[in-house]
Amino acid sequence: MSVRTVTDRASFVLAENPGIMTLDGTNTWILREPGATRSVVVDPGPSDDAHLQAVLAAAGEVGLVLFTHRHLDHTEALDRLVELTGAPARSIDPEFSRGAEPLTDGETIDVDGLSIEVLATPGHTTDSTCFLLGAEASLLSGDTILGRGTTVIAHPDGVLGPYLDSLAHVRELVEEGLVERILPGHGPVIESPAEVVDFYLEHRAERLDQVRAAVEAGATTAREVVETVYRDVDESLWGAAELSVSAQLDHLRA
């Protein structure tokens, strides 16, 4: 495992946990202001000793641990990392802040000159959070926006309405010039954020229309909708699709 430098402030170590939901694996991000001693680790990743040691080697002195959402492929190594470094871990969900002060939407964190703005972006999960490095217009998106493909609305924790609002918020930041690249939790870095966010919004609208049509044609369960709408998709992805369809059905009922 090796650290991959993306910008002056951001690098990542790729966890060896590739899969249908994780793509190439989890990107554990290491953030540090140029010239500073302490770093911030975002999404510690799976409980894998080789990965954790690679992260520690790249991070040096860790001043803070953050994570974009509670799923284990992002947080399984959290407690061990905190134990080894003594750094506080913070989350927008008080239950997962490990005793530290919970994050708040719009809050700005400073670690040795590194400025990180907290953006609540619920949808994939209720606690999904993005982190904005304003000095270089980079947005750490977790699973809200992936480097390849589209994300799953992890029903029942994930909810479609808030997810669409979160995407719209990110799109506004792109339009304002505040986001010029996206650093995702899985997959490659996104250098054309407007194009990708627009694709996400269009994809969700198209899927919602397809789900609506399937229901009107007689489908009554998420599985029945998946068998109609996703019939041209590999069946290995149907389980994940069923989660998103459940969220879409809830959205339509509401």
Side-chain angles (χ1 to χ4, degrees), residues 5-250:
T5 300
V6 176
T7 72
D8 289 341
R9 294 171 177 82
S11 59
F12 72 95
V13 177
L14 177 65
E16 293 185 358
N17 62 335
I20 293 171
M21 303 291 282
T22 57
L23 303 181
D24 307 317
T26 301
N27 298 329
T28 295
W29 288 96
I30 299 162
L31 312 177
R32 184 187 290 108
E33 186 68 14
T37 300
R38 295 189 300 166
S39 67
V40 176
V41 175
V42 181
D43 288 342
S47 183
D48 176 84
D49 188 63
H51 176 68
L52 185 57
Q53 292 305 316
V55 170
L56 289 171
E61 183 180 352
V62 179
L64 179 64
V65 182
L66 301 172
F67 53 97
T68 57
H69 64 293
R70 66 175 68 92
H71 286 167
L72 287 179
D73 56 311
H74 294 257
T75 63
E76 193 175 29
L78 174 67
D79 289 333
R80 181 62 176 154
L81 181 61
V82 168
E83 177 185 351
L84 291 173
T85 63
R90 299 184 64 195
S91 165
I92 207 161
D93 185 341
E95 181 181 349
F96 291 89
S97 287
R98 301 301 192 265
E101 188 71 20
L103 298 172
T104 58
D105 184 29
E107 173 185 357
T108 298
I109 302 167
D110 184 280
V111 177
D112 291 356
L114 179 72
S115 181
I116 305 171
E117 184 178 350
V118 178
L119 302 175
T121 50
H124 172 68
T125 59
T126 54
D127 70 333
S128 287
T129 310
C130 291
F131 300 106
L132 178 63
L133 300 178
E136 57 183 42
S138 295
L139 182 74
L140 282 79
S141 64
D143 284 6
T144 297
I145 299 171
L146 303 178
R148 185 172 65 251
T150 57
T151 197
V152 172
I153 310 303
H155 183 271
D157 187 27
V159 184
L160 181 58
Y163 182 66
L164 295 175
D165 291 341
S166 294
L167 289 179
H169 185 195
V170 173
R171 188 64 177 89
E172 290 173 358
L173 295 176
V174 173
E175 289 176 354
E176 293 168 4
L178 299 177
V179 172
E180 296 178 358
R181 74 181 55 80
I182 294 176
L183 314 180
H186 304 283
V189 171
I190 297 168
E191 299 287 0
S192 54
E195 179 181 334
V196 172
V197 177
D198 284 347
F199 168 73
Y200 264 59
L201 289 166
E202 292 165 5
H203 173 76
R204 285 298 165 198
E206 290 172 359
R207 282 295 191 218
L208 198 57
D209 285 343
Q210 292 170 336
V211 170
R212 186 183 292 108
V215 170
E216 291 173 352
T220 60
T221 67
R223 183 65 177 191
E224 290 174 352
V225 172
V226 168
E227 290 172 354
T228 299
V229 174
Y230 290 81
R231 60 180 177 272
D232 59 342
V233 174
D234 191 302
E235 288 191 29
S236 65
L237 298 172
W238 281 16
E242 197 167 342
L243 294 177
S244 286
V245 167
S246 295
Q248 290 168 315
L249 289 173
D250 279 358

